[in-house]
Amino acid sequence: MKKKIINFGLVLILLLPLIVFASGFKIQNENYRANHTDTWESIKKRGTLLIGVDDTFVPMDFRKKNGQLVGYDVDLSRAVAKVLGLKADFQSIDWSMKETELKNGTIDCIWNGYTNGYTATPSRQKRIAFSRVYELSGQSLVVRKDSKIKNFADMKGKTLGIQESSTAQTDFDKYPQVLKKLVKGQKPILYQDNSSAFMDLQAGRTQGVLAGTVYAGYYATHIANSNNYKLIPATKYPADRVAIGMRKGDQTLINKINYALGVLQKNGTLRRINKKWLGIDSNYLGPVAEFQKSNNNR
């Protein structure tokens, strides 16, 4: 009797299209569920809102030496969850897999504002639904309170510090009419990091530092003698719109989070969180309907 010899390589080649098809079908199913299933009743029954964060980004979401998670978004998301009768459950996720984690239900929302986080870009709006904007993350000018500098025009002839290769430097050069044409020599002193720039500001070697509002606000609020500094928002530079990312199918959750943000704006909580973490007196919220069309486009 002849023995049959199984060619495993051939079997694998024959099965490969089926494996690829099954994998694609699974992804397609997950996308469909994410875009068409409203999970609010499940969230309410669970009693927790599963929040995906990058826990390494100061001052939005980061851990203290004892491991406690703190930050701007931590305070804001807990306050939102409380308004909705829920508890905030933070999930530290692989940031490169954030949308996958959202669509497969590991988390209910992506909540990590500013540069490292989840700003509402046009490409993301095709895949993910967004809450109303709760922060505009542009640039700010940090000055000493005793400098008598009240606006950008007051920087005329004065020395400016900027971190090299930062977004602040890009905006400074791209929009010269805002600040570049005013400062001494029409060029800033460049630093390897913002910490060095702030040290020179403290010492009086510069009269201002241009930096991202989130980092600048946190740093100027938490460094020694922080009461000596103030922020002047650079409203003429473009700003990223920071919002909370959710599944397109979760229309109830979107509406409830937008409602909760409005409550926090009215009762002063949003302003207090802005002052605590960013050092800015802001109570800004974007319009509820800003992303309505893209949120409904599934």
Side-chain angles (χ1 to χ4, degrees):
M1 182 180 292
K2 293 182 179 180
K3 293 183 178 180
K4 293 182 179 180
I5 300 175
I6 299 174
N7 188 329
F8 288 101
L10 180 60
V11 172
L12 183 59
I13 291 173
L14 293 173
L15 288 177
L16 189 57
L18 294 175
I19 296 170
V20 172
F21 176 79
S23 177
F25 184 74
K26 180 182 178 183
I27 293 172
Q28 189 176 19
N29 263 356
E30 286 182 352
N31 287 337
Y32 185 85
R33 283 196 299 269
N35 289 337
H36 295 85
T37 303
D38 192 313
T39 66
W40 171 250
E41 290 302 322
S42 298
I43 293 171
K44 187 169 65 171
K45 185 177 180 180
R46 186 203 307 141
T48 58
L49 185 64
L50 304 177
I51 301 168
V53 300
D54 172 0
D55 63 1
T56 64
F57 184 54
V58 178
M60 307 310 280
D61 305 84
F62 64 102
R63 295 192 181 276
K64 297 170 70 173
K65 290 182 179 180
N66 63 3
Q68 180 187 0
L69 185 67
V70 296
Y72 181 105
D73 283 328
V74 175
D75 283 1
L76 184 60
S77 56
R78 280 179 174 152
V80 164
K82 185 176 181 180
V83 171
L84 301 181
L86 302 171
K87 289 186 178 180
D89 185 349
F90 299 98
Q91 306 288 321
S92 298
I93 59 174
D94 180 345
W95 204 241
S96 65
M97 296 292 289
K98 54 189 174 294
E99 289 186 9
T100 300
E101 300 281 20
L102 180 65
K103 289 184 177 182
N104 67 22
T106 305
I107 56 176
D108 297 316
C109 55
I110 301 171
W111 203 323
N112 221 125
Y114 198 54
T115 305
N116 198 39
Y118 215 64
T119 53
T121 64
S123 61
R124 286 170 176 165
Q125 290 172 40
K126 295 176 182 178
R127 306 185 301 271
I128 299 296
F130 282 97
S131 71
R132 61 198 302 191
V133 172
Y134 65 88
E135 186 68 49
L136 294 175
S137 61
Q139 309 300 325
S140 281
L141 177 68
V142 184
V143 299
R144 293 175 61 103
K145 286 183 179 177
D146 60 10
S147 68
K148 298 182 180 180
I149 296 173
K150 297 180 181 179
N151 51 50
F152 276 40
D154 291 338
M155 281 296 292
K156 187 173 182 179
K158 294 181 172 60
T159 304
L160 178 73
I162 296 181
Q163 181 180 355
E164 188 173 12
S165 300
S166 65
T167 304
Q169 185 184 6
T170 299
D171 286 346
F172 176 84
D173 290 327
K174 190 174 181 179
Y175 305 95
Q177 71 280 4
V178 178
L179 190 58
K180 186 173 184 177
K181 289 184 178 180
L182 296 172
V183 300
K184 185 176 180 180
Q186 296 192 10
K187 61 181 180 181
I189 296 177
L190 297 177
Y191 298 87
Q192 287 187 337
D193 52 63
N194 277 316
S195 297
S196 300
F198 277 101
M199 286 177 64
D200 269 6
L201 177 62
Q202 291 180 64
R205 288 185 283 269
T206 62
Q207 286 73 58
V209 171
L210 186 67
T213 298
V214 169
Y215 178 82
Y218 176 77
Y219 195 85
T221 304
H222 291 78
I223 58 177
N225 303 315
S226 60
N227 288 333
N228 294 335
Y229 302 94
K230 65 179 178 181
L231 267 68
I232 303 172
T235 55
K236 292 185 179 180
Y237 290 135
D240 291 327
R241 295 172 298 165
V242 179
I244 304 143
M246 289 167 278
R247 293 178 286 267
K248 284 182 178 286
D250 274 324
Q251 294 297 311
T252 304
L253 179 61
I254 295 165
N255 292 336
K256 286 186 176 294
I257 283 183
N258 282 339
Y259 163 77
L261 288 170
V263 170
L264 300 180
Q265 182 189 49
K266 288 179 181 178
N267 67 21
T269 300
L270 181 61
R271 187 184 298 277
R272 287 194 294 272
I273 292 173
N274 275 311
K275 284 184 177 180
K276 174 183 176 181
W277 292 106
L278 308 183
I280 57 176
D281 185 13
S282 172
N283 205 29
Y284 174 80
L285 271 183
V288 172
E290 182 173 0
F291 304 117
Q292 189 170 7
K293 184 176 179 180
S294 62
N295 286 350
N296 291 329
N297 185 7
R298 309 176 195 182

